[in-house]
Amino acid sequence: NAGVTQTPKFQVLKTGQSMTLQCAQDMNHNSMYWYRQDPGMGLRLIYYSASEGTTDKGEVPNGYNVSRLNKREFSLRLESAAPSQTSVYFCASTGGGGEQFFGPGTRLTVL
Amino acid sequence: KNEVEQSPQNLTAQEGEFITINCSYSVGISALHWLQQHPGGGIVSLFMLSSGKKKHGRLIATINIQEKHSSLHITASHPRDSAVYICAATPWRGSQGNLIFGKGTKLSVKP
């Protein structure tokens, strides 16, 4: 089992460019999450999906959109990247037990 | 005031020392999580507990529900324990599994 996978691992964008971060899990988990991690701020929830077909905003959703493509995949899209979105992005999933499993992260720089 | 507070923010120890990291929370919770993040690395779940104590190797996590406090102990610390340790809580209030994170404790163990 690969657990939670994310692509890409690194990305550099120019202001205004768009991109999609991909996340997939092979643990048959219902819930999936996107977080961003910034120095001194800790992890903050961007969007989550409690089950296939549903998505909800978290603490910092502005500038992002998400798609829960199927039970396995949950993507995060930046339509028009801004320097304030420079961060490390983590995807996570959880099953009925409540423990969250994290992907390896995507380090995004917006110039 | 953050709903999950950790102390200390930074901790430096000598190899072999006993280490304690503290976590206090102000909301009702169904579970308390301890996570580990090595420099430049992903996030790994160490413990999830709702009462009492759990032990895994040299790591011990305890929780006192009445006092809304949890501790992570590392016995016989080693340089490879150097990492950021993150406390997170699953609140009771309809969270759908969402976690509230502390800002982390950066541990450095010197040889």
Side-chain angles (χ1 to χ4, degrees), chain A residues 33 35 37 48 50 97 99-100, chain B residues 37 45 48 96-98 101:
Chain A
Y33 310 83
Y35 299 99
Q37 185 180 42
Y48 66 98
E99 183 180 3
Q100 286 204 8
Chain B
Q37 184 177 26
S45 176
M48 184 178 76
Q96 301 187 36
N98 296 351
F101 294 89

Side-chain angles (χ1 to χ4, degrees), chain B:
Chain B
K1 189 181 188 308
N2 292 333
E3 291 173 306
V4 176
E5 296 271 4
Q6 286 184 240
S7 63
Q9 279 187 301
N10 294 283
L11 181 56
T12 300
Q14 288 298 126
E15 184 173 356
E17 286 185 354
F18 180 84
I19 290 163
T20 296
I21 300 170
N22 295 300
C23 176
S24 297
Y25 53 92
S26 57
V27 295
I29 69 169
S30 59
L32 191 290
H33 306 252
W34 283 102
L35 311 171
Q36 181 192 55
Q37 184 177 26
H38 279 104
I43 300 168
V44 175
S45 176
L46 296 175
F47 296 102
M48 184 178 76
L49 66 166
S50 55
S51 64
K53 180 166 89 170
K54 286 191 175 181
K55 184 174 190 287
H56 185 251
R58 295 180 294 105
L59 273 59
I60 303 166
T62 64
I63 187 168
N64 184 317
I65 299 294
Q66 287 73 29
E67 294 187 4
K68 293 187 174 177
H69 182 269
S70 176
S71 293
L72 177 69
H73 305 286
I74 305 175
T75 61
S77 60
H78 190 276
R80 65 175 174 266
D81 296 325
S82 298
V84 174
Y85 292 84
I86 303 168
C87 172
T90 305
W92 279 116
R93 56 159 204 271
S95 67
Q96 301 187 36
N98 296 351
L99 300 182
I100 305 173
F101 294 89
K103 293 187 177 180
T105 295
K106 185 175 182 180
L107 171 66
S108 177
V109 181
K110 305 294 186 188

Side-chain angles (χ1 to χ4, degrees), chain A residues 87-104:
Chain A
S87 187
V88 182
Y89 291 85
F90 288 96
C91 177
S93 70
T94 185
E99 183 180 3
Q100 286 204 8
F101 294 83
F102 289 81

Side-chain angles (χ1 to χ4, degrees), chain A residues 1 9 25 28 31 35 44 53 56 58 70 77 94 100 103:
Chain A
N1 286 352
K9 285 191 166 51
Q25 52 90 10
N28 202 35
S31 300
Y35 299 99
R44 292 183 291 169
D56 285 287
N70 47 55
R77 182 159 178 85
T94 185
Q100 286 204 8

